[in-house]
Amino acid sequence: MPDTPTLPATSREWHLLSRPVGWPKPEDFALVEAEIRQPGPGEVLVRNAYVSVDPYMRGRMSAAKSYAAPFELGKVMQGGAVGEVVASGAEGIAPGDHVLHFGGWREYATVSAEQAVKIDPEAAPLSTYLGVLGMTGLTAYAGLLRTASFKEGDSVFVSGAAGAVGSQVGQIARLKGASRVIGSAGSDDKVKLLVEEYGFDAAFNYKNGPVSEQLREAAPDGIDVYFDNVGGDHLEAAIGSLNQGGRIAICGMISVYNNTEAAPGPRNLARLIQTRGRIEGLLVGDHYDLQPQFVQEVGAWVRSGELKYAETVVEGIENNLEAFLGVLRGDNTGKMIVKL
């Protein structure tokens, strides 16, 4: 075991104290001091450099059964993180290596080496392994190309299009030969970003009027693919504009995550009969077989500048909760990350 005399004795970490009802409140959480545990056999101790906050984490704060286990009350939460290994009890990972792992929401994490993936900080900035080249990027890639069965010439609509996943979906569709790419976002500045920086053919601010009307104006010939990050009125509008044989990939429904009552479903589902449309849910964990192909193709686009990405960076572990709440509010442009 390498000697680590410069390590602090404790690390700050976020605990879930109570399960939020509606919007999460600061009193549902606590930032606490915890003893840093040295790694045992097969483990590594990581000093986190960046941690991720993502919409799906809201679901894990609930006790409801889902695809991921709920966060435990009174214990540290988890999330994606990248950092430097400072002590290792595992073969193949040495102090000084950088890894991607799932011990976020804390300054230091002792994790199983089997759950830590070595990354190259020379190949790309560390933060990108949480976003454009990480889980969010793979979500966009797999969701568009596999779940939504995108093909050249498709007209594509993306909601939450200025977010980490949505902005990548639209750009991948453009690079793969979409006939038209339309995005929705929550501010005029984000709409401008989508068109001027990311190459969307059209975009609209969903706060400026009914989504269905703005979508019909932006896509007068209808849409073949809808990538859903929002749910609610966006999903209903997409069904209303869906062409024959259209496909809808359900990635997220951020508009309903904090609802205390069940949200009404789309009122126009019967239109799927007419269009022979298909709606399919998407979980990135089902598509890790695409990881090598994704890194090769998207990594090349990032290096060439053909695919652009944005990050909203919040400084300090003490601001981790506020960064997460910002994601739910839509404060971020691109991937929201916390720099420690």
Side-chain angles (χ1 to χ4, degrees):
M1 180 86 50
D3 188 24
T4 53
T6 59
L7 286 182
T10 61
S11 166
R12 290 180 293 173
E13 59 185 38
W14 282 94
H15 288 199
L16 182 66
L17 299 184
S18 57
R19 302 204 181 278
V21 177
W23 274 86
K25 303 180 294 296
E27 53 265 35
D28 294 324
F29 309 84
L31 181 62
V32 305
E33 293 271 348
E35 184 178 350
I36 295 175
R37 181 173 66 82
Q38 290 296 319
E43 293 182 326
V44 293
L45 174 60
V46 184
R47 179 192 295 118
N48 286 334
Y50 295 94
V51 301
S52 179
V53 286
D54 302 281
Y56 79 86
M57 293 173 176
R58 177 62 184 87
R60 295 196 66 191
M61 294 171 188
S62 166
K65 187 175 182 180
S66 185
Y67 60 87
F71 292 135
E72 294 185 60
L73 294 180
K75 294 188 177 180
V76 64
M77 295 183 287
Q78 298 95 36
V82 290
E84 181 182 355
V85 175
V86 293
S88 176
E91 291 186 15
I93 301 181
D97 287 341
H98 290 80
V99 295
L100 168 66
H101 62 96
F102 212 62
W105 288 79
R106 69 201 87 179
E107 292 175 306
Y108 286 81
T110 303
V111 299
S112 167
E114 293 182 352
Q115 298 173 343
V117 179
K118 288 173 67 171
I119 55 176
D120 183 0
E122 300 299 321
L126 280 178
S127 59
T128 62
Y129 292 98
L130 294 175
V132 65
L133 294 179
M135 184 176 70
T136 51
L138 181 59
T139 300
Y141 188 86
L144 177 68
L145 302 182
R146 179 176 280 173
T147 307
S149 304
F150 171 85
K151 59 183 184 297
E152 187 176 353
D154 279 343
S155 176
V156 178
F157 171 45
V158 188
S159 59
V165 174
S167 59
Q168 225 164 320
V169 170
Q171 292 184 83
I172 293 171
R174 172 177 55 79
L175 290 163
K176 289 282 192 180
S179 61
R180 189 166 178 79
V181 179
I182 306 104
S184 73
S187 75
D188 292 341
D189 285 343
K190 289 181 179 180
V191 167
K192 184 178 180 181
L193 177 76
L194 293 176
V195 175
E196 296 184 1
E197 291 292 324
Y198 294 158
F200 282 60
D201 296 288
F204 59 86
N205 182 344
Y206 66 82
K207 297 176 182 176
N208 288 347
V211 175
S212 57
E213 294 179 10
Q214 294 195 79
L215 178 58
R216 279 196 296 271
E217 183 177 342
D221 296 324
I223 60 172
D224 302 300
V225 168
Y226 171 48
F227 194 103
D228 189 15
N229 291 302
V230 174
D233 54 355
H234 281 74
L235 178 55
E236 186 170 293
I239 293 171
S241 286
L242 204 62
N243 291 330
Q244 186 165 319
R247 290 88 63 205
I248 296 175
I250 305 290
C251 177
M253 292 193 172
I254 199 169
S255 68
V256 303
Y257 285 168
N258 294 305
N259 288 5
T260 56
E261 298 179 3
R267 297 167 294 182
N268 56 350
L269 281 174
R271 194 168 186 277
L272 295 175
I273 303 170
Q274 172 191 341
T275 61
R276 287 73 132 186
R278 171 169 61 85
I279 301 179
E280 185 174 338
L282 160 66
L283 283 180
V284 68
D286 296 334
H287 303 285
Y288 281 123
D289 61 296
L290 290 177
Q291 180 83 15
Q293 174 184 324
F294 155 71
V295 170
Q296 181 178 11
E297 189 165 23
V298 175
W301 286 333
V302 171
R303 287 191 295 274
S304 69
E306 293 174 275
L307 192 149
K308 303 181 189 302
Y309 66 94
E311 294 175 337
T312 300
V313 181
V314 172
E315 299 263 355
I317 189 69
E318 65 275 9
N319 294 314
N320 216 91
L321 175 59
E322 182 56 31
F324 168 71
L325 296 175
V327 170
L328 298 183
R329 291 190 299 260
D331 294 350
N332 56 302
T333 298
K335 183 74 183 77
M336 178 77 89
I337 54 176
V338 179
K339 181 179 180 181
L340 307 188

